[in-house]
Amino acid sequence: MRIAWIGKKSPFCGNVTYSREITNALLDRGHQVSFLHFAQEESEPDNWPNFQEVSLPFIYKSQVYTIPTFKATKVLTQSLRQIKPDVVHASLTLSPLDFVLPEICEQLSLPLIATFHTPFAGKGAKLISGTQLLAYQLYAPFLVNYDRVIVFSQIQRELLARMGVREENIAVIPNGVDTSKYSPGTSKVKAEFKAERLFVYQGRIAPEKNIEALLRAWKQSEMGTDSKLLIVGDGPLKPSLEPFYGWEYGIIWLGFVANEDRRIEILRGADVFILPSLVEGLSLSLLEAMACGLACLATDVGADGEVLEKEAGIVLNTKTVRSQLRTLLPVCQDHPELTTLLGQKARQRVLDRYTLSKNVTQLEELYKEVLTQRPLPLSRRA
C-alpha cells in the first residue's frame, strides 16, 4: 500500500515519536511510505526510517503548533499529485494546513485519515485549558470532512462526537510501544547518580504538565540523600523552576535527552515514573515507562487514568496532586516490593493493550476499511 504520511520530525514531542514509530512499522510490513513534514534546520533526529521525504515550507514551528508559508499548500498539493498514494494519513500538527487537507484530498480523490492528538482533561471534566477547549471546538467542524479520525480513547471519541463529528467515523486506536525495545533491562544510571531509589519525570517543562506540584511535593517530603528525582525534558518553565529545586534536594535536571538509547537506559535504571499533568492525550512517555517495568503514578487526564486503572499503576486526582504525592513518594521510597509489583503489572498492561504491533495492525485494517468504502479510481488501482 502507498501511504502519504503528513506529520512532524521536530521539535521533539509525542507527535514526533508517534510519526517515527508508526512509519517505521509500516515500512517493516512492506508498505511504501512518503513523509511530508515541515522543513527543518536542526540535526537529524535518531532512528528515522529511510523513506521519500517532502519538505513543506514554514514561517514558525514549536512543539505546540506550526505556521506554514502560503507556498506550503501548493507544495503539498503538487507532492500528493506526484506520489499518488492509496491513503493520506495526517498526524495533525496544529497547523492551518490541517484545515485545507480535506479539500485538497477531495480534489485529488484521495482517502484522508487524521490522528487527532490534542490533549484533554478527563472523565466528566471540563477541559482545564481554554486553549485545549478552543482546539477541539476549532477542529471539530473540519474533522467532519476526514474519512476517519483516529483518537486514543473512548472518552475522546465521545467528546468529539458531542461536538458534531460522526461517531462511526471516529476510530479508537491507542498509542503503542515497541515492547522489545522498551523493556526491563540492566542500567548503570543509579550508580551514575549515586541513588538507591530513582524517580523520573519525562516530558515538557510547561504549565499543562503541572511539574511544580511534583517538585514541591518532593521538596516537602524530604526524601533523603539516597533518593533522586530525574527531570528529563525542556520547556518554558525550566529556567524559573530549576534554581529553586536543585541538587540540594536530590533533584537532577537532565534537559532534553535526544538519544533514545539513553532515554531507555534512564527508564531501566529507575524505580518510579511520575506524570502530574493537567491535560494529556495518551502519553507515550507513560507507556514507555510502563513497558520498561516502572511503577507509574499519573493523573486521571486524557486516557492516562484508563491506562493505569485496575492496579496497573496509581491514578492521581488533578485537584490534590501535591498532597497525594507527599504521601506516595515516601511510600514508594520505603517499599521496593510495592514498586516492583506495580512495575510488573504496568509492563503486563502494555503487553495486553498497548503494543506497537497491535496498533499498526488496527491501522492497516482501518486503511483497508476506508479503501473498501471509497474505491480508488481505475487509473490508480494496482
Side-chain angles (χ1 to χ4, degrees):
M1 189 180 300
R2 293 192 302 275
I3 301 157
W5 186 279
I6 303 171
K8 293 179 72 173
K9 288 189 75 172
S10 67
F12 184 82
C13 62
N15 193 326
V16 170
T17 303
Y18 177 83
S19 289
R20 184 192 66 208
E21 295 299 305
I22 297 294
T23 52
N24 259 319
L26 288 170
L27 286 166
D28 287 344
R29 296 195 182 191
H31 300 287
Q32 299 175 39
V33 180
S34 300
F35 195 97
L36 297 88
H37 63 96
F38 293 101
Q40 61 190 46
E41 297 176 0
E42 306 96 303
S43 60
E44 186 74 3
D46 58 356
N47 298 326
W48 280 93
N50 182 21
F51 42 33
Q52 177 187 2
E53 293 189 47
V54 175
S55 295
L56 302 173
F58 68 95
I59 299 170
Y60 172 82
K61 65 175 177 175
S62 69
Q63 288 178 315
V64 180
Y65 64 92
T66 304
I67 302 175
T69 66
F70 290 115
K71 186 181 177 183
T73 300
K74 182 178 180 181
V75 172
L76 175 62
T77 304
Q78 290 176 340
S79 299
L80 290 176
R81 186 175 283 117
Q82 292 170 0
I83 294 168
K84 295 184 172 63
D86 299 315
V87 171
V88 178
H89 188 153
S91 181
L92 297 180
T93 57
L94 295 183
S95 152
L97 276 188
D98 299 342
F99 307 122
V100 299
L101 262 174
E103 182 180 344
I104 293 171
C105 289
E106 185 62 32
Q107 290 173 355
L108 300 176
S109 299
L110 296 174
L112 176 61
I113 295 167
T115 298
F116 188 59
H117 297 263
T118 302
F120 59 106
K123 298 176 182 177
K126 294 180 179 179
L127 294 175
I128 291 176
S129 166
T131 304
Q132 308 304 335
L133 176 58
L134 177 62
Y136 273 77
Q137 292 174 328
L138 184 64
Y139 267 84
F142 294 91
L143 293 176
V144 169
N145 299 316
Y146 282 74
D147 290 278
R148 290 291 187 281
V149 179
I150 296 170
V151 294
F152 300 138
S153 72
Q154 183 62 31
I155 305 167
Q156 195 180 10
R157 183 173 189 249
E158 293 168 359
L159 181 59
L160 283 176
R162 290 201 301 270
M163 293 185 171
V165 183
R166 291 171 56 193
E167 198 162 357
E168 59 269 28
N169 282 356
I170 308 172
V172 178
I173 303 179
N175 274 333
V177 175
D178 183 342
T179 51
S180 61
K181 183 167 56 175
Y182 286 88
S183 60
T186 59
S187 171
K188 297 180 180 179
V189 168
K190 277 188 177 176
E192 178 184 343
F193 295 110
K194 298 179 174 59
E196 289 188 17
R197 302 288 285 165
L198 198 57
F199 297 70
V200 174
Y201 165 85
Q202 180 174 291
R204 293 187 71 231
I205 315 300
E208 68 272 12
K209 296 298 185 178
N210 198 27
I211 188 174
E212 191 168 6
L214 165 60
L215 296 171
R216 287 185 176 184
W218 180 273
K219 186 174 178 179
Q220 292 166 358
S221 297
E222 299 180 352
M223 297 291 284
T225 58
D226 292 334
S227 292
K228 299 293 192 299
L229 172 62
L230 301 185
I231 306 297
V232 182
D234 206 347
L237 292 186
K238 185 173 180 283
S240 62
L241 293 174
E242 187 174 1
F244 299 99
Y245 302 96
W247 269 94
E248 66 273 26
Y249 300 109
I251 301 171
I252 303 166
W253 297 77
L254 298 184
F256 170 61
V257 177
N259 185 276
E260 185 178 30
D261 290 338
R262 174 60 170 167
R263 294 198 300 272
I264 293 172
E265 181 189 21
I266 290 169
L267 291 176
R268 285 177 172 174
D271 301 292
V272 180
F273 179 87
I274 306 159
L275 189 63
S277 302
L278 297 174
V279 292
E280 282 287 348
L282 172 50
S283 170
L284 269 169
S285 292
L286 174 62
L287 293 179
E288 290 166 357
M290 292 173 70
C292 287
L294 275 72
C296 293
L297 287 63
T299 43
D300 189 10
V301 295
D304 290 356
E306 180 182 315
V307 170
L308 295 179
E309 67 184 1
K310 297 180 181 177
E311 302 178 347
I314 297 176
V315 181
L316 307 172
N317 188 312
T318 53
K319 296 179 181 179
T320 55
V321 173
R322 185 169 48 153
S323 62
Q324 287 178 286
L325 286 175
R326 277 205 312 266
T327 300
L328 291 168
L329 289 172
V331 172
C332 291
Q333 173 185 250
D334 298 337
H335 297 278
E337 72 284 355
L338 171 63
T339 55
T340 298
L341 178 61
L342 286 173
Q344 291 169 348
K345 290 188 174 184
R347 167 80 178 169
Q348 190 58 51
R349 174 60 54 81
V350 171
L351 292 173
D352 291 342
R353 299 185 187 178
Y354 301 103
T355 66
L356 180 62
S357 176
K358 291 178 182 177
N359 178 299
V360 175
T361 296
Q362 288 180 277
L363 192 54
E364 288 177 314
E365 292 171 354
L366 182 66
Y367 289 163
K368 292 173 184 175
E369 178 185 303
V370 169
L371 288 172
T372 299
Q373 295 178 359
R374 183 174 177 171
L376 295 173
L378 288 172
S379 62
R380 293 180 53 251
R381 293 182 188 174

